[in-house]
Amino acid sequence: MKRIGIMTSGGDSPGMNACIRAVVRAGVHYKLEVFGIRNGYQGMIDDEIHLLESKDVANIIQYGGTILKTARCSDFMEKAGRKKAFENLKKHGIEGLIVIGGNGTYTGAMHLNREHGIPILGCPGTIDNDLSGTDYTIGFHTSINTAVDAIDKIRDTADSHHRVFFVEVMGRHSGHIALHAGIAGGAEGIFLPERDNEFETIIEKYVKRTRQKEFSIYIVAEGETEGNAYEIAERFKALHPDADCRVTVLGHVQRGGSPTSEDRILASRLGTHAVKGITEGFSNHAVGIVNQEVEFTPFEKAIFDKKDINNKLWEMNAILGK
Ligand code: F6P
């Protein structure tokens, strides 16, 4: 193998640049030419493919976002789109691919590999941390820190005004961000899709604790099945009309910003091992770090095995969030 491609796809996450840098520099180490594909699978279809040299990835490790840009691409969901993309890869002599992204990115890679045989490895890049085969995904730590910083600020004003805040954090179908940000932010309660009946539990606790403390912060995962932060606040208000409730939706601020050192190191390790793996003949797998060791997990398993939240943290929060 002489030439590989590198691409970011789906929602961006802080640390993607550190991963691109690692792939390019490890590529140089393993005597490969690395081609950057801009704008995700759409750029593969539109032939936005250019050689990346070591100097092109200098001074990017500290930046959020992705220098290769990203996209969610519906054309790539069709066989015809994937065929066109593969023809472009062939035209540039690209014999292997490394993709950085989440569920949708891995699904696209799996189909491309099945239909055209090109070896592909994936690096988990999503703030949601919802991919199996890795303890953490690139961007997760940074997004928690952003959320916690916001929660600390909300705590100041909640305290001053004796208010009840419902803070919605990202996580399309998962509560990893909510759980970690909730614990680090000292929240009184956390709502997430992986667990049920949080509303009853927090109401019970709220009734018990109003005498001791005069404000509360509840974290709601975007994918919570009991409703979004506004709906949960309404239900709360109906039971406690005297409570002065406010809702804050943190939204896309959680996707940006300079990556934490954890994310930079994780991204560097994953990118380097992806290149090493592809030179050793690995394909159709996601690279991850499990218990500090590098692991390769088949795309199918990484996509479909639902990664549960850390139950020990969840149980601990029931003790601490009073
Ligand atoms: O998958 C990452 C994520 O940030 C989710 O938490 C969120 O639901 C989604 O992306 C938002 O996507 P978009 O930026 O396309 O609105």
Side-chain angles (χ1 to χ4, degrees):
M1 190 179 289
K2 291 203 173 69
R3 290 184 172 181
I4 60 168
I6 171 72
M7 182 195 81
T8 48
S9 159
D12 61 353
S13 66
M16 279 184 162
N17 281 328
C19 194
I20 295 168
R21 172 181 177 270
V23 168
V24 172
R25 300 239 162 129
V28 171
H29 175 80
Y30 288 102
K31 309 218 175 332
L32 295 170
E33 281 183 319
V34 182
F35 282 72
I37 301 158
R38 275 173 68 87
N39 295 317
Y41 289 121
Q42 192 59 55
M44 205 183 279
I45 293 172
D46 298 339
D47 196 15
E48 296 186 78
I49 302 174
H50 306 278
L51 181 68
L52 286 176
E53 293 178 48
S54 197
K55 64 175 169 39
D56 297 323
V57 293
N59 199 24
I60 64 166
I61 197 167
Q62 73 275 34
Y63 293 124
T66 155
I67 59 159
L68 291 175
K69 315 299 173 191
T70 184
R72 300 192 196 275
C73 173
S74 52
D75 288 349
F76 202 79
M77 291 176 188
E78 308 296 328
K79 267 191 174 181
R82 293 194 289 270
K83 188 164 180 283
K84 189 149 185 248
F86 178 67
E87 278 162 8
N88 285 330
L89 296 177
K90 250 189 5 194
K91 190 172 85 185
H92 291 279
I94 295 172
E95 300 157 295
L97 260 188
I98 293 172
V99 296
I100 310 170
N103 244 289
T105 307
Y106 286 2
T107 307
M110 201 170 68
H111 288 300
L112 186 66
N113 171 269
R114 277 185 193 156
E115 289 160 19
H116 300 285
I118 182 164
I120 312 179
L121 289 179
C123 292
T126 165
I127 63 165
D128 288 359
N129 199 32
D130 59 347
L131 295 169
S132 290
T134 193
D135 290 338
Y136 299 111
T137 54
I138 298 166
F140 177 62
H141 278 116
T142 309
S143 72
I144 298 167
N145 281 0
T146 303
V148 171
D149 185 48
I151 294 164
D152 287 349
K153 288 174 176 142
I154 288 168
R155 178 176 290 281
D156 291 343
T157 179
D159 184 17
S160 305
H161 288 265
H162 311 291
R163 281 177 171 160
V164 177
F165 267 84
F166 292 84
V167 182
E168 188 174 296
V169 298
M170 273 188 165
R172 197 198 307 253
H173 303 296
S174 64
H176 296 275
I177 297 176
L179 177 62
H180 288 247
I183 290 174
E188 276 71 38
I190 302 171
F191 293 80
L192 34 77
E194 291 88 347
R195 296 291 181 274
D196 295 328
N197 306 320
E198 295 101 319
F199 191 76
E200 287 69 23
T201 313
I202 70 138
I203 290 295
E204 201 181 300
K205 278 187 183 174
Y206 181 79
V207 173
K208 282 190 196 147
R209 60 183 282 279
T210 39
R211 266 170 279 122
Q212 311 152 10
K213 225 172 155 190
E214 292 178 322
F215 73 98
S216 301
I217 294 177
Y218 299 110
I219 308 300
V220 183
E222 175 192 2
E224 166 60 29
T225 44
E226 291 200 45
N228 63 30
Y230 286 100
E231 290 160 346
I232 290 173
E234 280 302 312
R235 273 176 76 190
F236 186 91
K237 189 87 183 136
L239 288 175
H240 294 282
D242 295 340
D244 193 5
C245 295
R246 292 290 185 279
V247 174
T248 303
V249 177
L250 296 186
H252 285 78
V253 290
Q254 296 160 98
R255 283 248 296 265
S258 178
T260 59
S261 50
E262 283 103 328
D263 274 326
R264 296 181 199 194
I265 293 166
L266 176 68
S268 301
R269 287 184 79 186
L270 292 171
T272 306
H273 280 282
V275 175
K276 185 167 181 281
I278 215 155
T279 62
E280 288 169 356
F282 276 94
S283 173
N284 221 21
H285 279 67
V287 191
I289 309 278
V290 178
N291 293 329
Q292 286 309 320
E293 296 297 328
V294 177
E295 273 195 16
F296 289 84
T297 303
F299 276 141
E300 221 161 50
K301 196 167 155 51
I303 299 165
F304 296 114
D305 275 11
K306 174 98 180 130
K307 178 157 100 188
D308 194 13
I309 54 156
N310 183 328
N311 198 51
K312 290 201 171 108
L313 292 184
W314 176 249
E315 285 174 358
M316 182 187 78
N317 191 60
I319 299 168
L320 303 183
K322 293 208 190 297

